[in-house]
Amino acid sequence: MTMMSFRVDDAEAVEAQRWAERLGVDKSELLREALHRHLVRLASELDADKWADAPHTSEELSLGQIAHWGPAEAWLDWVNAPG
């Protein structure tokens, strides 16, 4: 594990300590988790951009045709069934 050091606003430092105490974790654990979640969110945004730029293959598009088939059975019959 690598040690990181950075400066934050005094009010944010106090708020981070309050949340750490409220959650029953060390402040460093709270900050590690916050950094991890932020990095995951940033990576997911890049993934979304890559996905949007990549055209669908014919195999992927074929699944859309299946979706238009509808249910295999008429499930409305079950809703009105007695008992």
Side-chain angles (χ1 to χ4, degrees):
M1 206 176 257
T2 300
M3 173 73 97
M4 293 182 71
S5 177
F6 55 93
R7 298 189 179 279
V8 297
D9 183 69
D10 291 341
E12 290 178 343
V14 170
E15 192 69 16
Q17 184 61 46
R18 283 187 191 141
W19 274 107
E21 290 171 3
R22 184 175 183 182
L23 297 171
V25 298
D26 291 332
K27 183 172 56 174
S28 59
E29 182 179 348
L30 177 80
L31 297 175
R32 272 193 307 272
E33 179 65 22
L35 176 61
H36 174 74
R37 287 175 185 243
H38 188 66
L39 292 174
V40 167
R41 185 182 64 80
L42 291 173
S44 69
E45 289 175 7
L46 285 178
D47 286 347
D49 290 342
K50 289 178 187 176
W51 181 82
D53 293 339
H56 294 298
T57 65
S58 60
E59 291 84 9
E60 292 169 328
L61 292 174
S62 68
L63 295 175
Q65 296 171 357
I66 295 171
H68 297 294
W69 289 357
E73 297 181 26
W75 289 100
L76 291 176
D77 295 342
W78 288 76
V79 173
N80 299 322

